[in-house]
C-alpha cells in the first residue's frame, strides 16, 4: 500500500476498489452494531462537523489556515503568503469566520486573523501530517 501511495494520489487510492475489501458473506455482529449505533453523534452534530470539514477542504483555504497555524496575520500578509489578491483572501476569511474556524482582532484599521481554537489547529496539523505520510 505504501508503494501505491507513493506513486499515486490519495484520491486515486480511495477510488480503487477490489473484492478484497468487501465481505464475502452477509453476517451481522449484533453487539458491534449496537455499540457503534449507541456512539453515533446526533445528526445536527454530524452536519456541523461535515460543514467544518468542507470549509477546510478547499486548497486555498487550507493554505490560509496553514499560514495561520504558524502565526497571527493580517489580510495583506495572508495575501502575500498565499499568493492571491487581498479581496480573494477577505472572501475566504469571511467564509472561515462564519464557519467558526478563524477569528480576528482589530488594531486600528488592521484586522489580524488567527485560528479560532486548538481543535482547528489539531485538525489542520493532522490533515497535513496524514497527507505527507
Amino acid at each position: 500500500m505504501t508503494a501505491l501511495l507513493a506513486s499515486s494520489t490519495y484520491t486515486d487510492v480511495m477510488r480503487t476498489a477490489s473484492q478484497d475489501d468487501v465481505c464475502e458473506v452477509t453476517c451481522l455482529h449484533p453487539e458491534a452494531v449496537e455499540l457503534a449505533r449507541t456512539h453515533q453523534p446526533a445528526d445536527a452534530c454530524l452536519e456541523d462537523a461535515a460543514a467544518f470539514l468542507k470549509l477546510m477542504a478547499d486548497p486555498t483555504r487550507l493554505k490560509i489556515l496553514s499560514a495561520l497555524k504558524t502565526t497571527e496575520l493580517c489580510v495583506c500578509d495572508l495575501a502575500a503568503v498565499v499568493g492571491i489578491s487581498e479581496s480573494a483572501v477577505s472572501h475566504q476569511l469571511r467564509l472561515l469566520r462564519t464557519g467558526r474556524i478563524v477569528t480576528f482582532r482589530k488594531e486600528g484599521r488592521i484586522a489580524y486573523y488567527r485560528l479560532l481554537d486548538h481543535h482547528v489547529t489539531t485538525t489542520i496539523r493532522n490533515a497535513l501530517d496524514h497527507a505527507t505520510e
Side-chain angles (χ1 to χ4, degrees):
M1 183 76 160
T2 304
L4 179 61
L5 286 173
S7 65
S8 184
T9 66
Y10 181 75
T11 305
D12 293 337
V13 171
M14 293 305 294
R15 289 186 193 138
T16 305
S18 70
Q19 294 297 6
D20 294 338
D21 59 4
V22 296
C23 294
E24 294 179 19
V25 296
T26 301
C27 68
L28 286 177
H29 302 88
E31 297 84 10
V33 169
E34 185 58 29
L35 181 64
R37 279 188 180 153
T38 60
H39 286 85
Q40 284 291 302
D43 288 345
C45 180
L46 291 170
E47 292 293 328
D48 288 348
F52 171 78
L53 293 171
K54 284 178 186 177
L55 277 170
M56 290 192 183
D58 178 82
T60 299
R61 287 193 289 270
L62 196 51
K63 282 182 183 178
I64 291 169
L65 295 170
S66 180
L68 292 175
K69 182 174 67 69
T70 306
T71 189
E72 182 179 70
L73 295 163
C74 71
V75 175
C76 303
D77 294 340
L78 280 166
V81 170
V82 177
I84 61 175
S85 70
E86 290 177 30
S87 174
V89 168
S90 289
H91 172 73
Q92 298 301 331
L93 287 169
R94 190 169 25 262
L95 295 172
L96 293 168
R97 200 172 56 244
T98 302
R100 297 181 34 236
I101 294 176
V102 300
T103 189
F104 71 98
R105 67 177 177 85
K106 289 281 264 198
E107 193 171 291
R109 294 176 37 178
I110 300 173
Y112 291 94
Y113 283 83
R114 66 183 182 278
L115 300 179
L116 183 68
D117 59 27
H118 74 278
H119 298 109
V120 175
T121 305
T122 301
T123 302
I124 294 164
R125 184 182 326 110
N126 288 341
L128 295 172
D129 287 350
H130 184 75
T132 58
E133 287 181 355

